[in-house]
């Protein structure tokens, strides 16, 4: 998994202007491999549609990846005959590789792609890219699985598509509805930061792109589409499904261990209306309090469960220490990621060590409470022990939040890194 992107945080989104005539706003990429039958018809239809309906400058880029038929010659002919068309030739296969290459070198502020069969109705193209042009969203995808979509396809492909998206939702907690639809768009500055983190070069490429963008908190706009299945599609369903499942496992593992620097994709403070400062409240405090409380509820439940389990075979002090230690490690990890937005492995060990110091303070409070209870009541009931521990944990929780915010995860103001091209992908025109 690639983690070496040098980018700082993303700039705030702005509405894109029409710009100069020599720099199109939209670059639509059509990745192809041995598509000599459909390519010319596809480009002509897309060009006619954009000329008639799209109010900004545009470009159509044919990205031929290792075709062995007449596809390269047809692409070159289209580029020679139509001013808004250009062609790239790559010597290796892979839809993801083709998109990465063209998107990495395009100067258009909005980048899109669609399949050569044009299964998606082109009337959805302007609604797809409009939120990116306006500055409302970071990525946009066409969806065949919303209630407003109108889809014509066989039961086999319908089952595969829905099963795949169910796997994405259950394993990677994806919230977007359709990861496979070949109809997507992205703002250029987002692509520049996100592409170095995407490892796949085949069919899983755009799904991986979406999952990482969603986990980074970027806004994804969905457009319901009208879609008609191409019965002559050359996609090998079983092989593609197997590669996708491998990709799901790889990305899920990287996310689980925090191997991706997704914090580098964050928008600056103030871009999100939830970041607006409240009178008399330090910046970010309201959101951190909510996250800390949610984590605290679950860690307290975990602590009580562990204490009850350990208490069955050990004394109250031993059970309390063991339960508090395990729940404290989980609490520190959850607050690190969810409350204070710290991702990746950098300083993770240090944070856990500091968390253990906070744990020691909590242990002193709860342990002291149990000792005082034992001295006062002799042999208190299990219910009384739990009640005292809950009260002691509430006091420890307030102190824990203050220590986390001021000492363990203090806010650091860092200037964005100087931006340089992180992708050195070679291509041939």
């Amino acid at each position: 998994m690639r983690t070496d992107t040098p980018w700082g945080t993303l700039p705030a989104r702005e509405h894109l202007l029409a710009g100069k005539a020599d720099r199109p706003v939209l670059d639509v990429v059509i990745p192809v491999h041995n598509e000599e039958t459909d390519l010319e018809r596809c480009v002509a239809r897309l060009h006619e549609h954009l000329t008639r309906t799209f109010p900004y400058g545009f470009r159509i880029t044919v990205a031929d990846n290792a075709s062995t038929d007449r596809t390269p010659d047809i692409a070159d002919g289209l580029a020679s005959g139509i001013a808004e068309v250009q062609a790239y030739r790559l010597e290796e296969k892979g839809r993801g590789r083709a998109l990465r290459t063209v998107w990495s070198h395009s100067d258009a502020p909005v980048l899109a792609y669609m399949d050569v069969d044009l299964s998606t109705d082109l009337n959805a193209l302007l609604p797809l890219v409009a939120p990116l042009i306006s500055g409302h969203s970071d990525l946009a995808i066409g969806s065949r699985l919303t209630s407003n979509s109108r889809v014509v396809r066989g039961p086999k492909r319908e089952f595969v598509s829905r099963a795949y998206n169910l796997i994405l939702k259950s394993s990677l907690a994806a919230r977007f509805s359709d990861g496979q639809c070949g109809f997507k768009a992205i703002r250029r500055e987002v692509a520049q930061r996100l592409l170095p983190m995407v490892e796949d070069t085949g069919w899983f490429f755009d799904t991986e792109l979406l999952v990482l963008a969603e986990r980074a908190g970027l806004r994804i706009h969905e457009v319901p589409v009208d879609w008609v299945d191409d019965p002559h599609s050359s996609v090998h369903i079983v092989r593609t499904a197997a590669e996708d499942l491998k990709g799901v496992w790889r990305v899920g593992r990287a996310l689980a261990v925090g191997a991706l620097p997704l914090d580098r994709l964050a928008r600056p403070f103030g871009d999100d209306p939830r970041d607006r400062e409240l009178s008399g409240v330090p910046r970010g405090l309201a959101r951190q309090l909510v996250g800390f409380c949610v984590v605290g509820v679950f860690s307290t439940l975990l602590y009580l469960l562990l204490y009850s389990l350990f208490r069955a075979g050990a004394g109250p002090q031993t059970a309390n220490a063991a339960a508090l230690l395990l729940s404290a490690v989980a609490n520190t990890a959850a607050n690190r990621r969810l409350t204070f937005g710290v991702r990746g492995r950098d300083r993770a060990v240090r944070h856990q060590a500091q968390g253990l110091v906070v744990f020691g303070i909590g242990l002193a409070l709860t342990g002291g409470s149990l000792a005082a209870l034992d001295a006062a009541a002799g042999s208190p009931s299990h219910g009384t022990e739990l009640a005292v521990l809950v009260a002691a944990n509430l006091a420890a929780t307030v102190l824990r939040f203050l220590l986390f915010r001021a000492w363990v995860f203090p806010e650091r103001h860092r200037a964005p890194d100087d931006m340089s091209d992180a992708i050195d992908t070679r291509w041939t025109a």
Side-chain angles (χ1 to χ4, degrees):
M1 184 65 64
R2 305 178 181 188
T3 61
D4 57 348
T5 173
W7 305 110
T9 57
L10 286 164
R13 291 187 298 264
E14 295 181 353
H15 190 108
L16 299 173
L17 302 179
K20 300 179 180 179
D22 60 347
R23 186 191 180 197
V25 169
L26 174 66
D27 192 348
V28 183
V29 181
I30 304 175
V32 292
H33 174 73
N34 290 345
E35 297 288 355
E36 62 181 6
T37 302
D38 297 328
L39 179 57
E40 187 170 1
R41 174 181 56 85
C42 165
V43 171
R45 181 180 164 194
L46 176 59
H47 182 266
E48 186 277 332
H49 178 83
L50 287 171
T51 302
R52 179 170 48 87
T53 66
F54 194 67
Y56 292 85
F58 66 88
R59 177 192 301 134
I60 300 172
T61 302
V62 180
D64 170 48
N65 46 316
S67 291
T68 56
D69 60 2
R70 294 181 56 251
T71 297
D73 297 332
I74 296 174
D76 290 339
L78 290 168
S80 300
I82 305 176
E84 293 82 8
V85 177
Q86 68 177 9
Y88 284 105
R89 166 72 177 179
L90 294 92
E91 299 302 330
E92 295 181 90
K93 290 180 61 176
R95 181 179 70 174
R97 179 178 287 107
L99 292 175
R100 182 198 306 279
T101 300
V102 176
W103 282 357
S104 298
H105 294 87
S106 178
D107 60 349
V110 176
L111 311 168
Y113 95 89
M114 62 179 58
D115 293 334
V116 69
D117 56 19
L118 294 185
S119 294
T120 303
D121 183 14
L122 291 178
N123 286 326
L125 182 55
L126 184 55
L128 181 80
V129 301
L132 308 187
I133 293 174
S134 70
H136 176 272
S137 301
D138 298 294
L139 298 92
I141 65 173
S143 176
R144 301 161 296 182
L145 301 180
T146 66
S147 59
N148 294 327
S149 303
R150 294 182 293 184
V151 176
V152 178
R153 62 177 167 182
K156 180 179 179 180
R157 287 186 176 271
E158 180 75 11
F159 173 78
V160 170
S161 181
R162 292 191 177 274
Y164 177 67
N165 282 282
L166 180 62
I167 291 173
L168 291 180
K169 292 179 183 296
S170 59
S171 60
L172 298 179
R175 296 189 299 273
F176 51 85
S177 65
D178 190 352
Q180 286 184 315
C181 184
F183 195 68
K184 296 181 174 70
I186 186 172
R187 285 178 68 102
R188 179 172 176 264
E189 74 270 16
V190 177
Q192 287 179 323
R193 316 290 176 84
L194 195 52
L195 289 176
M197 300 184 192
V198 179
E199 183 173 323
D200 191 81
T201 59
W203 291 97
F204 187 68
F205 169 86
D206 44 348
T207 299
E208 184 173 353
L209 190 83
L210 288 174
V211 170
L212 299 186
E214 189 174 76
R215 288 299 186 94
L218 300 181
R219 179 175 286 171
I220 301 174
H221 178 74
E222 292 199 18
V223 178
V225 298
D226 299 339
W227 194 86
V228 179
D229 186 23
D230 177 12
H232 305 294
S233 174
S234 59
V235 178
H236 193 287
I237 296 179
V238 175
R239 183 171 61 246
T240 301
E243 293 299 320
D244 286 347
L245 291 177
K246 291 179 182 178
V248 169
W249 167 256
R250 174 177 51 78
V251 172
R253 182 176 56 186
L255 292 172
V257 300
L260 291 164
L262 297 179
D263 55 316
R264 300 180 188 178
L265 295 170
R267 289 287 181 183
F269 185 85
D271 184 72
D272 190 325
R274 292 172 297 181
D275 291 332
R276 292 170 186 164
E277 296 185 14
L278 302 177
S279 177
V281 178
R283 189 175 75 178
L285 178 59
R287 182 183 296 183
Q288 290 177 357
L289 278 172
V290 172
F292 185 81
C293 289
V294 171
V295 172
V297 168
F298 284 100
S299 61
T300 299
L301 293 175
L302 174 63
Y303 164 78
L304 293 175
L305 174 62
L306 292 173
Y307 178 81
S308 298
L309 292 175
F310 294 150
R311 186 66 177 87
Q317 294 288 1
T318 302
N320 173 63
L324 192 59
L325 175 61
L326 293 178
S327 60
V329 172
N331 182 278
T332 300
N335 275 305
R336 181 178 189 269
R337 177 73 176 272
L338 303 176
T339 303
F340 298 97
V342 180
R343 296 181 174 87
R345 299 177 181 178
D346 185 35
R347 292 179 285 127
V349 175
R350 176 183 174 183
H351 291 158
Q352 281 294 346
Q354 292 173 308
L356 288 178
V357 174
V358 178
F359 152 74
I361 297 174
L363 179 61
L365 285 174
T366 54
S369 300
L370 285 176
L373 176 65
D374 186 65
S379 299
S381 66
H382 182 64
T384 303
E385 285 182 355
L386 290 180
V388 170
L389 288 173
V390 169
N393 267 290
L394 288 176
T397 296
V398 175
L399 183 58
R400 185 183 303 120
F401 176 76
L402 296 176
L403 289 173
F404 273 173
R405 181 176 170 83
W407 180 50
V408 183
F409 308 110
E411 183 177 359
R412 289 179 170 82
H413 299 281
R414 294 173 296 178
D417 298 333
D418 291 336
M419 298 179 187
S420 58
D421 193 354
I423 305 172
D424 184 20
T425 308
R426 299 191 178 275
W427 43 268
T428 57

